[in-house]
């Protein structure tokens, strides 16, 4: 799966939230409204990359994601884990714990959730 640029990923986040949207809906969803031509260009790029498709209704297109958010997140996280922590989740948690971004209580909560998920 191809990696998205920051602008492409921002647009995909909006589409994942909207599920299906016309250009007006997409433009309205941005915190700061971009130019329609910019969004149109990004949608074309995303379509070529296989992330977006559309359905035609008269003269307008309704866009929708063709890649699930979870699938993209897993792919990107796997690359992040591999590139920065030799694929080790333990090394990653140790890193964030050592930087003070994750305390022992949060780690305990995570472990409890994992144990609960394993039971189910």
């Amino acid at each position: 799966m191809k990696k998205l640029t920051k602008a492409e990923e921002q647009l995909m986040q909006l589409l994942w939230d909207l599920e299906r949207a016309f250009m007006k809906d997409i433009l309205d969803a941005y915190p700061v409204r971009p130019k329609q031509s910019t969004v149109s260009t990004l949608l074309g790029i995303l379509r070529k990359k296989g992330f977006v498709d559309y359905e035609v209704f008269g003269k307008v297109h309704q866009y929708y994601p063709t890649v699930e958010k979870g699938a993209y997140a897993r792919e990107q996280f796997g690359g992040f884990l591999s590139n920065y922590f030799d694929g080790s989740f333990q090394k990653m948690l140790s890193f964030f714990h050592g930087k003070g971004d994750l305390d022992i209580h949060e780690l305990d909560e995570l472990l409890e959730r994992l144990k609960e998920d394993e039971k189910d």
Side-chain angles (χ1 to χ4, degrees):
M1 184 178 309
K2 296 187 179 197
K3 183 164 175 42
L4 300 176
T5 66
K6 190 173 186 172
E8 293 165 351
E9 192 169 326
Q10 181 182 21
L11 177 50
M12 283 305 301
Q13 293 290 348
L14 296 174
L15 273 175
W16 282 318
D17 288 344
L18 295 168
E19 296 178 8
R20 295 182 78 85
F22 295 100
M23 179 63 76
K24 181 189 179 317
D25 303 321
I26 296 168
L27 293 171
D28 289 345
Y30 273 93
V32 176
R33 191 180 177 110
K35 291 183 179 179
Q36 181 173 332
S37 60
T38 302
V39 174
S40 183
T41 299
L42 286 171
L43 286 166
I45 292 168
L46 288 168
R47 188 163 186 254
K48 285 180 186 175
K49 287 184 174 183
F51 280 81
V52 170
D53 208 349
Y54 61 82
E55 196 172 332
V56 179
F57 292 91
K59 294 183 179 183
V60 295
H61 296 158
Q62 185 181 49
Y63 297 93
Y64 58 91
T66 56
V67 173
E68 291 181 6
K69 184 176 184 176
Y72 182 73
R74 279 189 298 281
E75 177 88 16
Q76 295 311 304
F77 181 73
F80 173 79
L81 195 63
S82 177
N83 292 335
Y84 293 96
F85 301 102
D86 300 324
S88 169
F89 195 69
Q90 183 177 354
K91 284 182 183 179
M92 185 193 70
L93 288 177
S94 294
F95 172 81
F96 285 110
H97 176 65
K99 295 291 182 190
D101 296 331
L102 188 64
D103 68 26
I104 195 71
H105 301 294
E106 289 171 317
L107 287 171
D108 284 340
E109 287 176 18
L110 177 60
L111 183 59
E112 286 303 314
R113 282 190 216 152
L114 292 172
K115 286 179 182 176
E116 286 297 317
D117 288 347
E118 198 171 88
K119 288 178 185 176
D120 295 337

